[in-house]
Amino acid sequence: MANSRFEYVKNFERENYLLPDTYIVVRVDGRGFHKFSDEYNFEKPNDLRALNLMNKAAISLMKEIPEIVVAYGDSDEYSFLLRKDCELFERREAKLITTFSSSFSSYYQFYWAEFFVEPESILKPYRLPTFDARAVCYPNSGKIRDYFSWRQVDCHINNLYNTVFWNLVSKGNLTPEQAENRLIGTLASDKNEILFKEFAINYNNEPEIFKKGTVIVRELSNWKNDQEKVINTELTKKNLKNLKKADLKLYHTDIINDTFWQERPYLLI
C-alpha cells in the first residue's frame, strides 16, 4: 500500500482474533429462507433437491478450505469444525466468517441450476440465496461433541414437527394456523401417533437424511498402527499432516453416541 497523508484512517481498523488453542466452529445459515423456499416452491416438509444442493456446496467449501475436518448440516444451515491448532487467516474472526459465508453463498448459487432445473426456478435478483455466518470457540472435545449433538437433536425435533405439520395441511386439510394449534403442547410420542394413526406413516421409516441431517468428514483410512494401539502423539506425527488431503465422505448417521467419534479420534485432537 502506497504511503499517503490519508493512510492514518487505517488506524481505525480493529481485528478480533479468536482465542488460541480452542476449536472453532463456523456455522453458516440461510438468510430469509422461509420466503426463499416459498418463492421457489420447495417441497414440504423436506426438499431433497435443496438438501443435496446444500451438501454439494458444503463439500465444495471443504475442498476450498482443507483446514475443515468435519461438517454437519440440515435444512438451510451447515456447521464446519476447525481444529484447535488451526491458524487459518491468523484466526481473524471477520476474515473467517466473511470467507465462509460468501464462499458458501457462491457455491450454492453456482450449483443451483443443477438441482432446480425447471424454468420457473431460475433465480430472481430480488430473491437470491445468501448465507450469513458466525464463529464460536469451544475449549475442549466434550464441548464440540455437545455442539454437534445439539444440532442433530435440533434437526430431529424440527423434522418431526414439520413432518406432522405438513401432513396435517396437505392430507388432513387443515389450514397452517389450525395445524399449528393442533400441535401445541404435543410430545414426540403424540406426533408419532398422529402420523401413524391418521396418515399411516411410521416416522422411523423416514429417510435418514431428513431425520439425522448430513455429516461430511475427512476420512483417514489407514491411521491405526500395527498393534491397533492409538496414542495421540502417533496420530499427530504420522497422520495428521495428511488430514487435509484425506477423502471426503458423506454420511447420514448418529453423531450423538460415541461410535462416530471413537472411530475417528483424529478429528478432536
Side-chain angles (χ1 to χ4, degrees):
M1 181 181 295
N3 293 326
S4 74
R5 66 186 180 90
F6 304 110
E7 191 175 357
Y8 77 93
V9 297
K10 193 174 186 301
N11 296 326
F12 289 90
E13 297 179 9
R14 289 293 179 268
E15 290 284 2
N16 180 31
Y17 292 89
L18 297 177
L19 290 172
D21 198 32
T22 57
Y23 297 97
I24 300 173
V25 175
V26 182
R27 185 168 76 245
V28 298
D29 198 1
R31 294 181 61 245
F33 258 57
H34 285 296
K35 292 182 178 179
F36 179 82
S37 61
D38 288 341
E39 180 72 36
Y40 297 103
N41 298 312
F42 280 24
E43 295 178 12
K44 307 292 186 181
N46 295 288
D47 192 310
L48 191 57
R49 300 168 302 171
L51 294 176
N52 287 333
L53 173 54
M54 288 286 295
N55 294 340
K56 187 156 187 176
I59 289 172
S60 298
L61 185 60
M62 291 183 73
K63 289 179 179 178
E64 175 187 338
I65 304 177
E67 288 82 0
I68 302 169
V69 293
V70 64
Y72 173 78
D74 78 280
S75 187
D76 63 339
E77 72 168 52
Y78 242 101
S79 298
F80 300 93
L81 175 64
L82 303 173
R83 285 167 25 84
K84 295 173 73 173
D85 59 0
C86 177
E87 291 295 331
L88 181 64
F89 303 134
E90 300 174 305
R91 300 176 76 92
R92 287 179 289 170
E93 181 180 21
K95 191 78 170 181
L96 284 166
I97 61 177
T98 54
T99 298
F100 275 67
S101 60
S102 61
S103 294
F104 197 92
S105 299
S106 298
Y107 285 125
Y108 191 94
Q109 292 188 36
F110 181 80
Y111 292 119
W112 172 266
E114 183 177 323
F115 296 90
F116 290 83
V117 299
E118 301 83 0
E120 62 271 19
S121 295
I122 294 175
L123 289 174
K124 306 173 180 64
Y126 63 84
R127 191 72 71 197
L128 292 173
T130 58
F131 295 79
D132 56 32
R134 69 192 67 191
V136 183
C137 294
Y138 293 95
N140 55 54
S141 59
K143 296 295 189 294
I144 286 296
R145 286 195 51 180
D146 285 348
Y147 172 84
F148 283 105
S149 296
W150 168 51
R151 300 321 303 141
Q152 189 163 66
V153 169
D154 195 65
C155 170
H156 161 69
I157 291 173
N158 288 338
N159 185 65
L160 177 57
Y161 180 92
N162 290 332
T163 301
V164 181
F165 178 89
W166 287 108
N167 273 281
L168 288 171
V169 171
S170 62
K171 299 178 182 178
N173 298 318
L174 298 185
T175 66
E177 183 178 2
Q178 290 171 332
E180 184 177 353
N181 290 334
R182 171 84 184 275
L183 294 175
I184 291 176
T186 57
L187 303 175
S189 57
D190 301 321
K191 296 181 179 70
N192 276 288
E193 186 175 3
I194 292 172
L195 286 174
F196 189 75
K197 287 189 174 181
E198 298 185 24
F199 305 108
I201 295 174
N202 184 338
Y203 184 74
N204 291 329
N205 295 333
E206 290 293 287
E208 294 295 286
I209 187 175
F210 298 160
K211 296 184 297 180
K212 291 186 171 69
T214 300
V215 186
I216 308 171
V217 63
R218 295 195 186 277
E219 202 83 281
L220 285 176
S221 57
N222 298 309
W223 56 268
K224 294 184 179 180
N225 63 17
D226 293 338
Q227 290 77 34
E228 296 294 307
K229 294 179 181 179
V230 180
I231 59 176
N232 289 351
T233 54
E234 288 178 348
L235 284 171
T236 301
K237 292 178 180 179
K238 295 181 180 180
N239 303 101
L240 294 183
K241 64 180 180 180
N242 297 321
L243 189 56
K244 292 181 180 180
K245 301 177 182 178
D247 292 335
L248 295 174
K249 299 294 184 181
L250 186 150
Y251 300 101
H252 312 297
T253 190
D254 189 318
I255 57 173
I256 298 173
N257 292 321
D258 295 334
T259 302
F260 176 85
W261 303 100
Q262 288 177 345
E263 290 177 348
R264 303 166 182 86
Y266 48 83
L267 296 176
L268 297 179
I269 292 177

